[in-house]
Amino acid sequence: QVQLVETGGGLVQVGGSLRLSCSGSGPLSRYAVGWYRQAPGKQREWVAAISDGGTTVYEYTVLGQFTISRDNGKNTVYLQMNRLKLDDTAVYYCTAGSRLNLVRSNRTNLWGQGTQVTVSL
């Protein structure tokens, strides 16, 4: 079973950008992949997802701010985050599943360990 590893988190100022990577231990090309985040004291929430064919969907509050993409040759899915706000501070997780609707609705079993994103003034 493929394992997922997130990288790219860190400390950034308001208005800055980060690109997160979700790398698979094996091919991700047949998986839909999504990003979730969990802020302190809050439930994990879905952020964005991409199908195996490249169809993308976003939670409406990040539409136009975040971009999800994939490079199947590198077994990696990216989350480009621009114009970061304090509210974007969270641990970001990637997940993979057989279909986009399963990823989108938190019905998957493959998860990474998360990467911390902290946005400061």
Side-chain angles (χ1 to χ4, degrees), residues 83-116:
R83 301 186 303 281
L84 285 163
K85 301 172 286 188
L86 294 175
D87 286 349
D88 295 318
T89 294
V91 178
Y92 284 72
Y93 299 89
C94 68
T95 183
S98 59
R99 297 195 303 273
L100 190 61
N101 64 321
L102 296 178
V103 170
R104 167 65 182 87
S105 58
N106 197 11
R107 290 183 286 163
T108 55
N109 295 320
L110 296 176
W111 289 87
Q113 82 290 347
T115 186
Q116 176 71 49

Side-chain angles (χ1 to χ4, degrees), residues 37-88:
R37 65 185 178 184
Q38 187 167 19
K42 296 186 178 181
Q43 290 189 334
R44 189 175 298 188
E45 63 177 4
W46 170 72
V47 174
I50 186 167
S51 73
D52 58 347
T55 298
T56 57
V57 289
Y58 298 91
E59 198 276 331
Y60 78 97
T61 60
V62 304
L63 193 62
Q65 182 191 1
F66 291 1
T67 303
I68 189 171
S69 61
R70 66 191 304 155
D71 185 338
N72 289 334
K74 296 182 178 179
N75 297 328
T76 301
V77 170
Y78 303 99
L79 185 69
Q80 177 67 43
M81 305 187 297
N82 298 326
R83 301 186 303 281
L84 285 163
K85 301 172 286 188
L86 294 175
D87 286 349
D88 295 318

